[in-house]
Amino acid sequence: MEAGAGGREQAGDAGVVLTFLSAACRQRAASLLASMTRDEKAAQMILAKDGIVTTSQITSYGIGAVLADGYYKPGHGATSDWAAHIAPLHAAARASRLGIPLLYGLDAVHGMSHATDAIIFPHNIGLGATRDPDLVERVARATAVEIAATGADWTFAPTIAAARDERWGRTYESFSEDPVLVGSLGASAVLGLQGHSLGAERTSILATAKHFAGDGATAYGTSSVGDLDRGDVTLNESDFRALAVAQYVPAIRAGVGSIMVSYSSYRGTAMSVNRPWLTNVLKKELGFEGFLVSDLNAVELLPGTSDTNIEAAINAGLDMLMESDSGLDALSLISDAVAGGRISSARVDDAVTRILRVKCGLGLFEGTERSLDPTVASPAHRLLAKEAVEKSLVVLKNDLGVLPLNAAGGKILLAGSGADSQRRQMGGWTINWDGSDADDATGTTLLSALTSRLGQSVVNAEDPTDPTGADAVILVMSERPYAEYLGDASDLTLSAVAPDDVTALSYYSQYDVPIIAILFSGRPLVITEELPKVSAFIAAFLPGTAADAIVDVLYGVTHPTGKLPMTWPKSMTQLPINLGDPDYVTDPPLFPLGFGLTY
Ligand code: BGC
């Protein structure tokens, strides 16, 4: 990815133009840089937290970027509330001495998943089951349109970790255990969010490939927070490159403008201060020309003092610090470190240049002109969500062709913890961080989707109900919602994760009525004991809004095509298990990577 003759923007890949490397953006960054004070440069290098930073601080310091953390919610959290809230922050930045535009970022990780009226698409694990790069790009494009309507211009997505151990609480953020599939779908997500050229569309949203590198590949038990999240990667270098770094290459070729650095460490060195990987590999060897942002308080959380940690992180190659809980402390620490020669001016100039170029490529200097878009939550986006869910469902069992069900049949008894629960259907990072507010999203639960299709024939069995006379029992088993380390788990057996559902299964299996099990979960769970008790089993992952798609697959209106994006273990002692492991054949999993029935 070398600069083209005459400074022309470079083609990173077929059809991708790296607008942030255009001659105009290089020039804009250089001339601004020449007129910036040390403090103004430092102000571009921090990502301040919404709710803590004020509009007057944005104006007086020239703060360059603001984030909404997982719990931030203006007003009622509707798109219009976000838009009304974000616009003044942009205005405050424009009113600063140099008027450098602000980046406003948030975690829109499965649709504009912070807005109560947005379409919530399946989490990445479900998109991985579709194995459909074109679909992933279309989902990301629709997401970008719904983000743009809020006035935000940056999303901390896609996660391009290959989840190698489903005890990890962020497994659902991963497209697959297979880094090649992750690389392909991750690049599609970048193209969808940013457009084929950053800033070419009014609704272009800056994407963030995250978390570089090794999240998903940490060794169990090495984390001081959960058992895996924020842990240590102990792989040798060639495995680390193949499993955790390789997927960044397609994302960079797709023109990703920012990359977030992982909380995890590689062989004992935190990635946030890891110069060999951040600067030597990611920036120099892989040619990443966008900017590197740290994870929330990641530098703050390192052992040591804030000033030495910040110096180490910036000297290692980080360009922007999400040190948001410490307010604007990071700004003065950066500035002081430059004054004291502990961070070189050249390093700071490089960081600020990268940030300014991306802002320019995104078109922020021309004014974003973002406004409420009539396509938010439009029928077209709803249909797209439905298509994504249909293609993400993986049928693991279908004895005697019990599926598809006959629409002209009799009664259906619907039971289980996920039958009528948005939070269980949508999971973490929905409305708020851990998904506990997901009931505020605008969605359709399976109960409402099934009832609107079948009317009176659906019996909602909140308590064990004699199913005699019913065509089938549909038992919707589910994991509670969670995010990050909250989801790290040492026991993924269904009886540990969903004990009430397993009790319900025992109850219904006494009767001579077929049981169709549907599982809402962020990862494969150990279902080996329960599987013989059901006639059919559908892994639905965390599908989001469009439960009507599940009804269509149950009734054969659409045919299931999803294939497992991750190996399905048969016991806890088998974990971690991934295709290519030496004992994959001699001690096979319950279902291999790629498994999925159809009808
Ligand atoms: C997560 C990131 C996220 C950030 C901002 C962190 O806790 O690890 O994935 O982008 O918060 O919400």
Side-chain angles (χ1 to χ4, degrees):
M1 309 234 293
E2 289 302 309
R8 198 183 139 61
E9 55 265 51
Q10 308 147 7
D13 206 352
V16 177
V17 178
L18 304 184
T19 48
F20 55 92
L21 295 181
S22 68
C25 285
R26 288 170 191 275
Q27 216 169 349
R28 160 107 53 185
S31 64
L32 272 171
L33 196 70
S35 56
M36 289 169 84
T37 64
R38 205 177 61 228
D39 283 353
E40 282 170 334
K41 291 178 186 175
Q44 289 298 309
M45 292 174 66
I46 63 165
L47 176 49
K49 194 166 174 172
D50 204 348
I52 293 185
V53 73
T54 62
T55 45
S56 60
Q57 285 173 328
I58 293 173
T59 305
S60 55
Y61 291 100
I63 300 293
V66 172
L67 93 142
D69 74 0
Y71 282 110
Y72 192 76
K73 182 165 104 171
H76 298 292
T79 301
S80 54
D81 293 315
W82 281 98
H85 171 73
I86 293 174
L89 304 183
H90 282 303
R94 281 196 297 274
S96 64
R97 186 179 79 90
L98 293 169
I100 298 174
L102 183 84
L103 274 172
Y104 191 95
L106 37 66
D107 294 271
V109 301
H110 60 143
M112 173 46 199
S113 44
H114 268 286
T116 49
D117 50 350
I119 301 286
I120 307 296
F121 290 97
H123 266 296
N124 285 350
I125 189 170
L127 295 178
T130 72
R131 292 169 181 253
D132 185 340
D134 173 66
L135 173 65
V136 171
E137 185 175 336
R138 286 185 285 129
V139 164
R141 187 87 288 277
T143 300
V145 168
E146 303 216 350
I147 298 170
T150 67
D153 18 55
W154 183 16
T155 179
F156 309 131
T159 295
I160 58 171
R164 305 291 292 175
D165 187 333
E166 43 269 45
R167 288 172 290 187
W168 185 38
R170 307 184 78 146
T171 298
Y172 63 82
E173 294 185 48
S174 166
F175 290 110
S176 173
E177 75 188 35
D178 172 7
V180 176
L181 181 58
V182 170
S184 148
L185 300 184
S188 300
V190 169
L191 292 175
L193 288 165
Q194 297 192 162
H196 282 244
S197 307
L198 185 66
E201 326 237 2
R202 191 180 58 84
T203 54
S204 179
I205 292 294
L206 176 63
T208 311
K210 70 184 190 185
H211 309 78
F212 186 86
D215 55 334
T218 55
Y220 190 80
T222 55
S223 170
S224 55
V225 183
D227 294 306
L228 278 162
D229 198 41
R230 309 184 180 188
D232 190 44
V233 180
T234 55
L235 299 169
N236 66 35
E237 183 174 333
S238 84
D239 287 347
F240 182 53
R241 280 178 177 263
L243 298 172
V245 176
Q247 56 270 43
Y248 285 84
V249 173
I252 292 169
R253 288 210 186 110
V256 72
S258 73
I259 291 180
M260 191 184 293
V261 174
S262 178
Y263 283 122
S264 57
S265 53
Y266 178 59
R267 296 183 156 224
T269 305
M271 289 309 301
S272 297
V273 291
N274 206 319
R275 186 177 161 86
W277 287 98
L278 300 187
T279 295
N280 301 355
V281 175
L282 185 54
K283 288 183 170 173
K284 293 192 177 152
E285 183 187 320
L286 304 185
F288 174 61
E289 298 270 14
F291 69 85
L292 279 181
V293 60
S294 64
D295 204 340
L296 187 71
N297 297 318
V299 176
E300 178 90 347
L301 291 168
L302 293 170
T305 56
S306 300
D307 50 352
T308 53
N309 288 339
I310 284 179
E311 285 157 33
I314 291 173
N315 287 329
L318 266 163
D319 302 306
M320 188 187 281
L321 300 183
M322 203 194 302
E323 289 305 281
S324 47
D325 282 349
S326 49
L328 301 182
D329 291 357
L331 191 162
S332 45
L333 290 175
I334 295 170
S335 187
D336 291 351
V338 179
R342 297 183 302 279
I343 298 174
S344 69
S345 304
R347 177 70 271 274
V348 164
D349 286 354
D350 171 53
V352 176
T353 299
R354 287 169 176 266
I355 293 164
L356 294 177
R357 280 192 323 220
V358 166
K359 289 184 176 183
C360 171
L362 193 52
L364 299 185
F365 286 95
E366 277 71 54
T368 49
E369 300 296 326
R370 299 178 196 275
S371 57
L372 272 181
D373 192 308
T375 59
V376 168
S378 64
H381 286 187
R382 256 172 225 295
L383 261 182
L384 179 59
K386 185 162 177 281
E387 178 188 347
V389 177
E390 282 163 7
K391 292 181 173 168
S392 72
L393 302 179
V394 181
V395 177
L396 295 177
K397 179 175 180 179
N398 187 18
D399 267 6
L400 305 172
V402 64
L403 294 177
L405 294 167
N406 180 356
K411 203 167 73 167
I412 291 291
L413 203 132
L414 185 67
S417 61
D420 190 23
S421 169
Q422 289 200 163
R423 63 174 76 183
R424 293 199 169 225
Q425 194 175 300
M426 298 183 184
W429 294 112
T430 310
I431 308 304
N432 67 348
W433 181 61
D434 62 6
S436 54
D437 282 350
D439 295 340
D440 294 344
T442 306
T444 313
T445 65
L446 189 56
L447 173 66
S448 55
L450 205 59
T451 309
S452 67
R453 190 73 57 90
L454 301 178
Q456 297 300 315
S457 349
V458 181
V459 175
N460 177 20
E462 286 182 71
D463 298 311
T465 306
D466 184 343
T468 309
D471 256 20
V473 172
I474 298 178
L475 181 59
V476 192
M477 307 195 272
S478 64
E479 258 192 310
R480 66 182 169 89
Y482 51 79
E484 301 186 42
Y485 51 86
L486 291 185
D488 280 0
S490 56
D491 190 353
L492 294 176
T493 52
L494 193 59
S495 51
V497 173
D500 294 347
D501 292 329
V502 171
T503 305
L505 176 60
S506 303
Y507 170 80
Y508 289 112
S509 55
Q510 307 167 77
Y511 296 89
D512 190 21
V513 175
I515 300 172
I516 318 290
I518 295 175
L519 179 63
F520 291 148
S521 67
R523 50 191 156 190
L525 300 176
V526 176
I527 55 169
T528 311
E529 284 186 17
E530 292 78 18
L531 198 62
K533 298 181 184 165
V534 304
S535 301
F537 197 107
I538 299 179
F541 304 107
L542 296 169
T545 307
D548 45 342
I550 303 174
V551 178
D552 274 0
V553 168
L554 284 170
Y555 285 89
V557 179
T558 45
H559 306 291
T561 53
K563 305 284 175 224
L564 283 182
M566 288 172 199
T567 299
W568 201 288
K570 72 174 173 219
S571 67
M572 284 311 293
T573 53
Q574 236 180 5
L575 289 177
I577 181 165
N578 295 288
L579 183 69
D581 287 353
D583 51 0
Y584 207 83
V585 177
T586 49
D587 182 22
L590 191 61
F591 298 105
L593 178 75
F595 184 86
L597 303 172
T598 192
Y599 47 79

